[in-house]
Amino acid sequence: FRPMRFNTYLMMLVAACLLACETTQPGGSAKAAKGVATLRIHLETHPDPLGLSRQITVGSEAAQTFFVTPPMITEEALAAARLWQGNGEEFAIHLQFDRAGQRSLEMLSMSYRGKRLALMSQFPEARWIGTVRMDRRISDGALLFRPEATRAEAEKIVHLLNATVAKLKKYKD
């Protein structure tokens, strides 16, 4: 190879890479998807000296503070979300998971009975939206919890999670 030919090929490769990359905005932050929400389910754990767990606080009035693992289940395993109406002003969010999510949830509930699951959602701001104590085996792939959110926020979470499920299903097919 001649040195000039090698440098030409190298410059073309670098130029192609730079033109093909559009993963960040001019400010440097990643592009946020519009009309979707995330769901991250973390398992309660003990403080980890390696720094893998982190301390969180869920709720404002009756705040719960504990340590959690990295996410165990995400929105990719979600099949549907619904808002259930209770007596008076009470409401809850019902999450139904697909087969993979159902297996993960069943395994967690059998192995870590008595522990809590902490639920985080981003809609568009990320925050902890609730906890579920696993007192029994969860074999049906469903979680029902009272969210730490207003009714309007809960409706938005459910709507955006269902939109996310539809978009993920479209990409999987």
Side-chain angles (χ1 to χ4, degrees), residues 150-169:
T150 65
R151 183 172 181 84
E153 289 173 332
E155 289 172 353
K156 183 177 179 179
I157 292 168
V158 167
H159 173 73
L160 292 176
L161 283 175
N162 285 324
T164 303
V165 168
K167 286 183 180 184
L168 287 172
K169 186 177 180 183

Side-chain angles (χ1 to χ4, degrees), residues 54-171:
R54 65 179 175 149
Q55 187 174 10
I56 64 163
T57 301
V58 181
S60 54
E61 293 176 16
Q64 303 175 48
T65 301
F66 53 96
F67 286 85
V68 294
T69 64
M72 304 298 274
I73 303 172
T74 67
E75 68 276 356
E76 292 178 10
L78 188 64
R82 293 180 189 86
L83 188 65
W84 284 12
Q85 180 64 40
N87 296 332
E89 296 293 318
E90 294 178 354
F91 59 92
I93 294 178
H94 177 262
L95 301 173
Q96 182 65 49
F97 293 93
D98 63 10
R99 179 171 275 171
Q102 182 177 350
R103 282 191 302 249
S104 296
L105 195 56
E106 183 174 14
M107 185 270 309
L108 288 173
S109 65
M110 288 179 5
S111 300
Y112 300 99
R113 188 170 298 211
K115 297 278 188 179
R116 292 174 283 190
L117 295 174
L119 292 91
M120 174 185 260
S121 183
Q122 183 173 351
F123 59 102
E125 71 282 346
R127 71 176 216 219
W128 298 101
I129 59 170
T131 61
V132 175
R133 184 168 300 277
M134 298 183 295
D135 291 331
R136 61 174 179 81
R137 177 177 165 219
I138 304 172
S139 61
D140 60 355
L143 278 181
L144 183 66
F145 69 99
R146 290 185 185 169
E148 294 289 335
T150 65
R151 183 172 181 84
E153 289 173 332
E155 289 172 353
K156 183 177 179 179
I157 292 168
V158 167
H159 173 73
L160 292 176
L161 283 175
N162 285 324
T164 303
V165 168
K167 286 183 180 184
L168 287 172
K169 186 177 180 183
K170 183 176 86 171
Y171 289 123

